[in-house]
Amino acid sequence: MELIEVRQAGPVGTIVLNNGRKHNALSHALVTALIGALQAFRDSDVRVVILRAQPGVKVWSAGHDVSELPEGRRDPLGWDDPLRNLVRTLETHPAPVIAMIEGSVWGGAVETILACDIVIATPESTFAVIPARLGVPYNLSGLMTFMSAGSVRIVKELAFTATPISAERAERVGMINHVVPLAELETFTHQMAATIAANSPLSISVMKEQLRVLAGAKPVSPRGFEKVQGLRRVVYDSHDYAEGIRAFKDKRPPKYLGR
Ligand code: YXS
């Protein structure tokens, strides 16, 4: 069974997450397939991409594949982590990517859809930022992705509570673009895709890159970066990080000690 399905109708490309057994967890294999599909679209005349899961899913994606996270003493979200590569690929893909959501979205999958250009979700969709639940030290560019989609106050609430928020709340705070009833979701999304595809792909791809450069233009001094990396190392070297990963695998609540 393929981890994703890929199809193209004229200038609109569609990628369907297809690993329901693992709730479309963003494993190295799934991310590699996603990046390959985007590269193929880049080499073709696709002018807009729709990223979705199979119709009727309860979970759009359960986030990073926890079984592939290190159990300690190694950065779980280093530069070459599959999730980091996927986010960068989405952000630099020349055509707009529309994330079409039904079901719940977890952890790194929330960052993935926020790295897309437009997010359209059903009213039943939910979004949960999970690092604190697992004891994971999120990385700097990942937090920038969240900050570009919501105020720092909203990001703090999502990150500190690790509690799902509704599509309605996410839209109200500007994290997602539209909330559309399930029965209208596909039509609404494809109509927006067709509108985009009828506009100038060159103008759009340059504006997308300009907005990426501007959104990422936050001064971080080398000293500031090194301080952040040192703080993250304290977390991924901690008892709590190893406990979070172990507890998930043991299917039990974690016992955090704050060290
Ligand atoms: O026990 P089996 O082998 O059947 O596998 C189960 C789950 O272990 C597996 N699965 C996952 N495997 C790896 N990574 C995952 N993220 C993941 N999520 C699920 O899929 C099989 C079915 O899951 P199950 O029985 O729990 O399904 P359910 O319907 O009862 O519950 C659905 C969920 C999504 C509520 C539940 O699976 C869940 O809470 N999943 C974990 C969500 C999560 O914590 N995601 C964050 C991953 S870490 C990440 O994204 C970043 C590193 S960070 O932490 O920084 O955000």
Side-chain angles (χ1 to χ4, degrees):
M1 177 205 64
E2 295 299 318
L3 295 174
I4 62 171
E5 290 177 2
V6 182
R7 45 183 183 259
Q8 180 178 349
V12 180
T14 299
I15 301 173
V16 187
L17 302 178
N18 190 42
N19 189 15
R21 197 190 62 75
K22 290 276 295 263
H23 289 314
N24 296 324
L26 297 174
S27 62
H28 188 273
L30 177 59
V31 168
T32 301
L34 278 171
I35 291 174
L38 287 164
Q39 188 55 51
F41 282 158
R42 193 184 187 114
D43 299 338
S44 72
D45 58 352
V46 164
R47 293 186 175 182
V48 57
V49 178
I50 297 171
L51 178 61
R52 59 168 299 168
Q54 288 293 2
V57 289
K58 292 287 171 274
V59 180
W60 192 86
S61 171
H64 204 300
D65 187 330
V66 176
S67 66
E68 295 182 355
L69 287 174
E71 299 208 347
R73 309 245 172 259
R74 188 162 61 82
D75 190 339
L77 292 172
W79 174 260
D80 265 338
D81 177 82
L83 174 64
R84 306 306 334 138
N85 282 321
L86 177 58
V87 167
R88 287 195 294 270
T89 304
L90 288 165
E91 289 174 336
T92 55
H93 187 74
V97 181
I98 303 174
M100 188 181 99
I101 310 296
E102 54 182 297
S104 55
V105 188
W106 301 82
V110 175
E111 188 192 352
T112 298
I113 66 162
L114 295 179
C116 295
D117 300 288
I118 295 167
V119 183
I120 303 169
T122 63
E124 300 73 27
S125 304
T126 59
F127 307 87
V129 175
I130 294 295
R133 188 200 287 186
L134 280 178
V136 169
Y138 220 69
N139 67 306
L140 212 51
S141 56
L143 289 177
M144 287 271 289
T145 308
F146 290 124
M147 283 171 64
S148 68
S151 71
V152 173
R153 196 169 308 287
I154 294 295
V155 174
K156 284 180 178 179
E157 179 191 333
L158 289 177
F160 299 167
T161 63
T163 302
I165 66 164
S166 68
E168 184 275 329
R169 174 104 195 278
E171 184 196 32
R172 196 166 70 238
V173 299
M175 263 182 67
I176 67 173
N177 299 74
H178 296 279
V179 178
V180 175
L182 178 60
E184 301 163 25
L185 181 66
E186 283 211 35
T187 303
F188 184 94
T189 303
H190 281 270
Q191 280 172 347
M192 183 176 287
T195 300
I196 293 171
N199 289 328
S200 158
L202 198 55
S203 168
I204 288 171
S205 65
V206 168
M207 282 193 286
K208 175 171 175 176
E209 180 58 10
Q210 286 170 297
L211 289 166
R212 185 190 69 80
V213 170
L214 290 170
K218 304 276 190 306
V220 176
S221 68
R223 181 176 298 183
F225 177 76
E226 285 159 8
K227 177 185 177 187
V228 165
Q229 285 302 90
L231 291 172
R232 293 186 62 245
R233 182 177 196 118
V234 169
V235 178
Y236 65 72
D237 277 356
S238 70
H239 157 278
D240 280 3
Y241 171 78
E243 165 63 8
I245 300 298
R246 177 48 47 210
F248 178 87
K249 291 178 179 177
D250 297 345
K251 298 184 187 292
R252 60 174 172 78
K255 294 186 190 65
Y256 290 131
L257 306 177
R259 57 175 165 78

